Amino acid sequence: MKTIEVSEIEKLDPVSVTIIDVRKAEDYARNTIPHAVNIPIETFQEGLPKLDREKPVYVLCHTGEKSEAIVEQLEDAGYDAVNIVGGYRAFLRLQLSRTLEKGTGIEERTKEIERSLIKKFRKPIWRKFTKAVQEYELVQPGDKIAVCISGGKDSMLMAKLFQELKRHGKIPFELVFLVMNPGYNEDNWNIIQDNAKILGISLTVFESDIFNIVAGVDKNPCYLCARMRRGYLYSHAKELGCNKIALGHHFDDVIETILMGMLYSGKVETMMPKLHSIHFEGMELIRPLYMVKEADIKAWRDYNRLNFIQCACRFTENCATCGGGRGSKRDEMKELIAQFRQTSDVIEANIFKSVHNINLRTVIGYHKDGEAYHFLDDYDSYKTGEKTEGKTEETC
């Protein structure tokens, strides 16, 4: 199989070659290799598209792995096909490294990104962030918060928001921008560090071997990986003197969790805005992006021409959310909520409000701290027609 490095692509004559980006249309629209055309990988599953047989065909995917199958398919059909090694991830790494090598304009670019949060995205992002911090009492005077950065758009935005809150807020607290390297490949690891430099974020880094540990796990490796990563983050944050860790879960994560609990677990629950740690005494988890919608995070990213990794996990090629493979239950919820948005502009807000406004007199049962309640437990103590917490029989 013929291959080419991304650094050599720009030397090609765009008139005499065809460059195909087989990633999703949304990803292609954000950024791609110059002169590339988008033919999503699903198109090739339906049959070969018509291409100029007189020109060599260069194929780009996210990591350079899925494109190998497309190159083989083209070769079998008689095309002169070439795989782009490392894919878009390698191209992104090259772009970022060149930006940093120039050194000029980085400081101003960082300031522009910060200004965008306070001005253009003040209402959808900054106000939603500060509202969550205040309403759920996420930050207290004297806190030392470990802002956990994975390298994606959510955690990177969270880091910038915390920076601004510390600079301009009234509550005195300390920050540590904590990054764990659980075994990222070189490209992903460099992309995380380069983006942090562009954003003006000083990282505190520690290493772990989690990816190697879960590599041989067949059942729920992602769940195990997430649990282990959180444990490592708690442990290291506590060693650094932190009393809280902040994670980048957003509004969409919250409502997806509500729906998954109802549809697949038969219970009403959600992702909480903050939690006391059971295993690490004195530690607390907070979610300051709790009210910020993912669409607004993407808009901030695109407005500032930022390109983050979708997910730094070495196994993402088998994950639908990150670029391929079979969809997860959370992917199903994303699709369901997307349909709701087309139906009504209030449904997603009402899903969110539903776990803030539960009337215990209109549910069959609930449990708290190991104790279960059923509505029949005190049903006879409420006579027909009497008011129960402001509700009559008819309104209940």
Side-chain angles (χ1 to χ4, degrees):
M1 177 183 298
K2 292 183 179 179
T3 61
I4 188 173
E5 299 291 331
V6 290
S7 58
E8 299 297 314
I9 287 291
E10 60 191 5
K11 299 176 182 179
L12 300 174
D13 177 8
V15 177
S16 60
V17 301
T18 301
I19 304 174
I20 299 174
D21 185 335
V22 298
R23 296 177 301 146
K24 294 179 180 178
E26 178 186 2
D27 298 326
Y28 168 81
R30 288 191 55 243
N31 194 19
T32 189
I33 285 180
H35 310 294
V37 295
N38 184 219
I39 305 179
I41 197 167
E42 292 79 13
T43 303
F44 287 89
Q45 295 170 354
E46 299 171 357
L48 280 179
K50 292 183 178 180
L51 301 170
D52 188 344
R53 290 185 175 275
E54 301 300 318
K55 297 180 180 181
V57 181
Y58 293 82
V59 187
L60 174 85
C61 72
H62 183 64
T63 65
E65 296 184 19
K66 289 181 178 295
S67 52
E68 290 179 353
I70 303 301
V71 169
E72 290 179 355
Q73 189 176 353
L74 289 168
E75 286 179 334
D76 291 342
Y79 287 92
D80 180 10
V82 184
N83 188 46
I84 301 174
V85 177
Y88 172 75
R89 185 171 62 190
F91 174 67
L92 174 57
R93 165 65 184 129
L94 184 63
Q95 279 188 313
L96 289 171
S97 62
R98 285 176 175 174
T99 299
L100 292 170
E101 283 171 5
K102 291 178 182 178
T104 56
I106 298 298
E107 185 176 343
E108 180 56 33
R109 181 148 158 67
T110 303
K111 291 179 180 178
E112 287 177 0
I113 293 169
E114 293 167 354
R115 283 195 292 267
S116 73
L117 288 174
I118 305 303
K119 294 184 177 181
K120 182 174 179 62
F121 295 95
R122 186 176 189 85
K123 183 176 179 180
I125 293 180
W126 176 251
R127 286 183 181 174
K128 295 290 182 67
F129 167 74
T130 55
K131 182 179 180 181
V133 167
Q134 294 167 8
E135 186 166 321
Y136 301 121
E137 299 178 352
L138 302 183
V139 179
Q140 303 294 334
D143 279 344
K144 186 172 183 180
I145 303 170
V147 180
C148 300
I149 297 176
S150 66
K153 66 185 189 315
D154 308 325
S155 61
M156 286 295 195
L157 170 62
M158 178 176 64
K160 289 306 297 180
L161 289 167
F162 264 120
Q163 260 191 352
E164 291 301 300
L165 185 65
K166 181 172 173 57
R167 288 170 181 167
H168 307 294
K170 298 179 180 180
I171 300 176
F173 66 96
E174 295 182 59
L175 290 174
V176 175
F177 298 110
L178 189 60
V179 179
M180 176 179 61
N181 183 351
Y184 296 141
N185 66 58
E186 185 178 357
D187 275 334
N188 277 339
W189 183 231
N190 286 329
I191 288 169
I192 291 172
Q193 294 177 93
D194 289 348
N195 271 321
K197 292 174 184 175
I198 290 172
L199 291 169
I201 298 170
S202 180
L203 302 179
T204 298
V205 177
F206 71 99
E207 308 283 335
S208 76
D209 200 32
I210 291 178
F211 282 176
N212 286 334
I213 293 172
V214 303
V217 177
D218 294 327
K219 188 176 181 180
N220 295 328
C222 294
Y223 173 77
L224 176 61
C225 181
R227 288 291 299 272
M228 291 182 67
R229 290 174 73 171
R230 188 170 299 180
Y232 273 83
L233 289 168
Y234 266 125
S235 178
H236 203 78
K238 191 168 185 178
E239 289 176 6
L240 293 171
C242 299
N243 64 313
K244 293 179 179 178
I245 67 170
L247 301 184
H249 297 116
H250 48 64
F251 175 90
D252 295 64
D253 293 320
V254 176
I255 61 176
E256 288 161 15
T257 300
I258 296 170
L259 289 180
M260 280 196 297
M262 294 173 63
L263 300 180
Y264 285 103
S265 299
K267 54 188 176 184
V268 177
E269 63 180 14
T270 190
M271 185 180 281
M272 298 298 287
K274 63 179 182 179
L275 291 167
H276 288 294
S277 173
I278 298 174
H279 303 294
F280 295 88
E281 186 178 354
M283 294 293 293
E284 192 174 3
L285 180 155
I286 61 174
R287 295 183 170 105
L289 298 185
Y290 204 77
M291 295 181 176
V292 180
K293 294 183 179 181
E294 185 175 28
D296 294 320
I297 298 175
K298 290 180 177 179
W300 167 80
R301 174 198 65 191
D302 296 344
Y303 175 81
N304 288 290
R305 308 178 311 281
L306 295 166
N307 291 281
F308 303 113
I309 53 175
Q310 291 175 298
C311 176
C313 174
R314 71 169 64 155
F315 312 112
T316 55
E317 286 70 39
N318 296 318
C319 170
T321 302
C322 305
R326 186 176 59 186
S328 65
K329 289 183 174 62
R330 188 167 290 277
D331 292 318
E332 293 178 18
M333 297 305 103
K334 287 182 183 294
E335 293 177 4
L336 182 59
I337 291 168
Q339 294 176 26
F340 287 155
R341 287 181 179 131
Q342 294 178 355
T343 303
S344 170
D345 59 1
V346 301
I347 293 180
E348 60 178 347
N350 285 337
I351 295 172
F352 183 78
K353 291 176 183 176
S354 68
V355 292
H356 290 72
N357 190 30
I358 296 174
N359 183 349
L360 295 181
R361 286 295 171 197
T362 61
V363 297
I364 302 299
Y366 65 89
H367 58 85
K368 180 181 180 182
D369 299 331
E371 295 187 9
Y373 167 84
H374 192 276
F375 86 103
L376 290 178
D377 292 345
D378 56 4
Y379 174 75
D380 289 336
S381 65
Y382 291 85
K383 296 179 181 179
T384 301
E386 286 187 352
K387 291 184 177 181
T388 61
E389 297 185 3
K391 301 283 186 179
T392 64
E393 177 189 23
E394 288 77 16
T395 57
C396 287

